[in-house]
Amino acid sequence: MAPRLSRLAGVACECFALPQENYPKPILISGAGKCWLCKAQSTSVKIATTIREAKTDRMESSSCAAESENSLQGWKEMTKLQVMKFGGTSVGDASCIARAAHIIARGAKQCRCVAVVSAMSGVTNRLIGAAKSAQAGHAKEAAAVMDALQKLHESVLDSLVKSEEERERVRQKIEAVLAEGRRFCEGTALLRELSPRTMDAISSLGERLCAPLVAAAVKELGLQSEAIEATELIVTDAFHGGAEPEMDWTRGKSHARLLPLLERGIVPVVTGFLGATTEGELTTLGRGGSDYSATILGAALNADEVIIWTDVDGILTADPRLVAEAQTIPEISFREAAELAYFGAKVLHPKTLRPVVLAAIPVWIRNSFAPDKPGTKITPEGHSRRGGVKALTAIQDVTLISVGGPGIVGLPDVVGRTFSTTAEVRANVLLISQSSSQNDICFSVSSGDAQRTVEALRKEFAQDLAHQKVEHVTADPHIAIVAVVGQNMRGTPGVAGKTFNAMGKDGVNIIAIAQGSSESNISFVIEEKSVVPALRSLHREFGLQNSSD
Ligand code: ADP
Ligand code: ASP
Ligand code: MG
């Protein structure tokens, strides 16, 4: 296996490789620089293709005082490492940022802490609006958004930071980031063209504006802190607007950049939502992706825990905006939380748990407005609840796509071709259902993915549509998916019966149904307008108002 070194060259010392015991990929074990454990100067650059080789190599070298089993032990006994992420509302104005800074400072006094921040609430939407105005040729409207954002961030800066020198430093940073934004918008308006790459560059400005403010607020509390752009840490593929991390690269970069800071007692404040390709091109992880940034960094740094600070008390039995009686769930399993996130519980980005599941790193969801409340702990096993159903969720921004017609009965490759097409356009398929007569396959995708999916399917089945083997490829955007979630639903008879009985009683029409064999989720498609009555009815039916046990 050829080690990919060039971009990692300069990573300080082989001690960084030590915590990666079960990491199978090639890793850099040493490089020019100082060892942060033993402070010895190391000048050699070595590469190990396996951890075994790394360890052997380390044991044979005698130049570094930390190179003994003790150093490994010492590493393990070092203080805890926490990654904490603050969402848009948790950094929504100067007082929220001050509150977030106190939470960070409290954490940093007890353990090593890396903060990850979203843009101030509403800022990403405004940036996307500016990009679209520019695309339509309205350069002035886009420039007005940049001006308004400059005012907003500067006024927050003025109320947060007392030191004139620090204020000036951060003000210059804000100006530089917005100058980039203005140039991107001018270019877009000139060409009337908005590529996904430019959209990423514009939509991620909010995080780049927010991180310096949060770092400055932490410094106000007497701690050392540094704002860091995640382009320096998170390496992704080039799928703009929904990039995926390359964990081996990310691990190397995050260790090299963050561990020396933590060692010196500096709190890194990292921009959420964004990363960069190996070529250094900025990418974003998808809307709401700062949660994902936090767990990517948590996994990369082998953190002890990740805390997602948000505006609710934890994961609730349903979205509290839709079901007033929803209760906070004290503990929930990775599987249940992932199902909820996947099916629209906005409190977690759908991919949040992927990076931490293997390493079993616990994730907390806590309320930054009520930091003394315990929140929800997401753990490998969770906490079982009698009756099986733990929570409900719904996704409203979805489209039901159907491929069908009597001609597809018995056509063996229709299913395969349908889903290889959705995979090619990277559509996120949320639910699949097929009629028993096999003349209709329907599945739902996020509405953002719908147009390109339907276009790709029509292209794929063009011949079949012409010869009427396939009669239609249609899309219905006015639907929603409701999911009933709980890992103990497995083997609990009657959950499906109760679910559909309640829907029948309350007059909710069911369009399609799916239940995986894991039995931890029953999901079904209904009309969008029925979401709230459906959730309230099910919440009552399963007695979830009594579930904070
Ligand atoms: P942040 O800005 O902190 O990332 P989000 O707005 O993305 O916060 O997510 C928090 C919101 O998620 C809550 O305000 C709540 O309305 C919504 N939400 C949806 N489903 C749930 C659920 N099951 N539990 C808690 N919150 C939920
Ligand atoms: N600011 C980004 C968004 O609004 C990312 C995030 O908040 O998680 O989508
Ligand atoms: Mg969010």
Side-chain angles (χ1 to χ4, degrees), residues 85-101 103 117-121 210 214 308-312 366-369:
K85 174 258 170 178
F86 295 85
T89 40
S90 301
V91 289
D93 60 24
S95 64
C96 293
I97 293 182
R99 197 178 304 114
I103 294 173
V117 295
S118 293
M120 292 175 68
S121 70
C210 185
V214 175
I308 309 236
W309 291 96
T310 183
D311 60 356
V312 280
R366 298 185 62 183
N367 191 344
S368 70
F369 298 86

Side-chain angles (χ1 to χ4, degrees), residues 454-475:
V454 170
E455 280 167 9
L457 284 168
R458 290 199 174 131
K459 210 161 133 205
E460 169 65 30
F461 289 111
Q463 294 266 344
D464 310 75
L465 286 163
H467 297 112
Q468 275 149 22
K469 279 196 214 144
V470 170
E471 191 185 61
H472 64 260
V473 176
T474 53

Side-chain angles (χ1 to χ4, degrees), residues 59-80:
M59 300 312 249
E60 280 169 3
S61 160
S62 58
S63 64
C64 170
E67 286 171 349
S68 66
E69 277 309 309
N70 287 346
S71 70
L72 182 58
Q73 205 43 42
W75 162 261
K76 283 182 178 159
E77 282 165 13
M78 280 191 68
T79 50
K80 256 170 59 172

Side-chain angles (χ1 to χ4, degrees), residues 85 87-88 118-119 124-125 203 207 272-273 286-291:
K85 174 258 170 178
S118 293
T124 310
N125 286 345
S203 63
E207 274 72 12
F273 188 41
R287 291 305 308 270
S290 301
D291 299 330

